[in-house]
Amino acid sequence: SMSVISGLSLGNVRLQEVSMGRFGHGSDEEGVQVADVPLPLGALVVAVSSKGDVEVANEDTLLHPGDTAIVAADNDVFDEVREAFRAL
């Protein structure tokens, strides 16, 4: 589950905050590694905000319900980005 909470668009690139809901697959407690989010080419998680702390994301960064993922993506793939997060 996810919801878009704010965004910024510059040219062909969109920077979007995505609020993480409960996961349909896997464990909410263990979280999901950023590397396991099936993002399309032209999209990446650049940072994660968790409990008031923000860190630059890498492939090992964990996402948990309540976290906010900051995603940079080409405008033409953002529907696929939403689907990737909804599939978690």
Side-chain angles (χ1 to χ4, degrees):
S1 173
M2 56 75 75
S3 64
V4 174
I5 55 177
S6 70
L8 171 69
S9 188
L10 297 168
N12 189 42
V13 175
R14 183 183 304 183
L15 189 63
Q16 199 89 44
E17 291 182 326
V18 179
S19 179
M20 305 304 303
R22 295 178 91 38
F23 300 128
H25 306 287
S27 170
D28 288 339
E29 290 178 14
E30 290 179 18
V32 172
Q33 283 187 315
V34 166
D36 294 332
V37 180
L39 293 174
L41 190 62
L44 61 111
V45 176
V46 295
V48 173
S49 174
S50 181
K51 299 176 185 168
D53 192 30
V54 178
E55 67 176 90
V56 173
N58 62 54
E59 62 186 21
D60 297 324
T61 301
L62 290 174
L63 295 165
H64 294 93
D67 289 353
T68 299
I70 296 95
V71 179
D74 293 333
N75 283 324
D76 59 349
V77 299
F78 222 86
D79 287 340
E80 295 173 62
V81 170
R82 287 188 193 102
E83 289 305 314
F85 279 99
R86 284 189 184 115
L88 296 178

